[in-house]
Amino acid sequence: SSELTQDPAVSVALGQTVRITCQGDSLRSYYASWYQQKPGQAPVLVIYGKNNRPSGIPDRFSGSSSGNTASLTITGAQAEDEADYYCNSRDSSGNHHVVFGGGTKLTVL
Amino acid sequence: EVQLVESGGGLVQPGGSLRLSCAASGFTFSSYWMSWVRQAPGKGLEWVANIKQDGSEKYYVDSVKGRFTISRDNAKNSLYLQMNSLRAEDTAVYYCAREYIVATTDAFDIWGQGTMVTVSS
């Protein structure tokens, strides 16, 4: 099965821009989706597809992809953006399996 | 309001069984693939299983294959996870999630609040 790799931790100064990456072979065939999870809460979808935001997600969140790497960019990070971020995609093995990255803890300084 | 509500979690001994339920409301349940995703304490998200709209296709992560069974009842707008032969490593919060699938995108756009399963003697 496929794997998705994320940096365990990333930090950003308040108001600055941060990029969180996700690498894996499946991303050559499928778009990554991104989730924000705060302590004690269920994950929330923030980006899906090429670069789509669900209703209610601020436009400071954006997504991009190149080769086997997908990126989530937060432009002008806010204190409330401090959270764990996970990527996921369909497994590239041809069945309907799904795979998640290990998650990135974002700290807003 | 679109909503998923899980139930059925609890404390169970190793080797025991548990059945999780997920009640869906606010959308046409029978039109969506559905999944179970779990999160062990302090760990990341792990996809567990999913099921096609009509129940004709089911997929599982290797670690639960042969022990867990996903099912659905579209008449009751409900998703289930039957967990047998439970192990300590199955201890996690179990989330029910709706899959949004378009072309090469497979996202979980709606999540339940989760139900805790603890496997311990």
Side-chain angles (χ1 to χ4, degrees), chain B residues 39-53:
Chain B
Q39 187 170 36
K43 302 298 183 181
L45 301 172
E46 180 183 37
W47 170 79
V48 174
N50 59 12
I51 184 169
K52 193 176 180 179
Q53 289 93 329

Side-chain angles (χ1 to χ4, degrees), chain A residues 6-11 18 20-21 33-47 61 72 74 78-88 100-108, chain B residues 39-45 95 111:
Chain A
Q6 298 182 241
D7 291 330
V10 171
S11 62
V18 62
I20 299 170
T21 61
S33 298
W34 292 92
Y35 306 85
Q36 176 192 72
Q37 187 181 35
K38 297 181 179 180
Q41 298 183 17
V44 173
L45 179 67
V46 295
I47 291 290
F61 290 89
L72 172 70
I74 307 175
Q78 302 300 301
E80 61 264 31
D81 299 334
E82 184 163 293
D84 293 325
Y85 290 85
Y86 295 91
C87 61
N88 93 286
F100 280 95
T104 297
K105 168 64 179 175
L106 176 66
T107 300
V108 180
Chain B
Q39 187 170 36
K43 302 298 183 181
L45 301 172
Y95 295 100
W111 296 71

Side-chain angles (χ1 to χ4, degrees), chain B:
Chain B
E1 180 190 6
V2 175
Q3 196 172 10
L4 297 170
V5 179
E6 302 95 335
S7 60
L11 174 64
V12 61
Q13 292 187 340
S17 298
L18 213 54
R19 189 194 195 207
L20 305 184
S21 298
C22 171
S25 60
F27 65 98
T28 305
F29 179 73
S30 60
S31 296
Y32 291 88
W33 279 79
M34 296 295 297
S35 271
W36 289 97
V37 177
R38 68 183 177 183
Q39 187 170 36
K43 302 298 183 181
L45 301 172
E46 180 183 37
W47 170 79
V48 174
N50 59 12
I51 184 169
K52 193 176 180 179
Q53 289 93 329
D54 62 359
S56 61
E57 295 182 34
K58 305 175 185 181
Y59 299 92
Y60 301 90
V61 68
D62 286 348
S63 59
V64 309
K65 216 171 285 185
R67 300 188 300 123
F68 289 12
T69 301
I70 189 171
S71 62
R72 65 192 296 163
D73 185 336
N74 288 341
K76 295 183 177 179
N77 292 331
S78 292
L79 178 71
Y80 306 100
L81 187 66
Q82 177 67 43
M83 304 186 295
N84 299 329
S85 303
L86 282 161
R87 307 167 180 167
E89 54 264 35
D90 296 318
T91 294
V93 174
Y94 284 74
Y95 295 100
C96 166
R98 186 177 84 172
E99 286 194 51
Y100 172 80
I101 301 171
V102 174
T104 54
T105 295
D106 193 337
F108 299 108
D109 64 342
I110 304 296
W111 296 71
Q113 85 288 351
T115 187
M116 183 71 204
V117 172
T118 303
V119 184
S120 175
S121 54

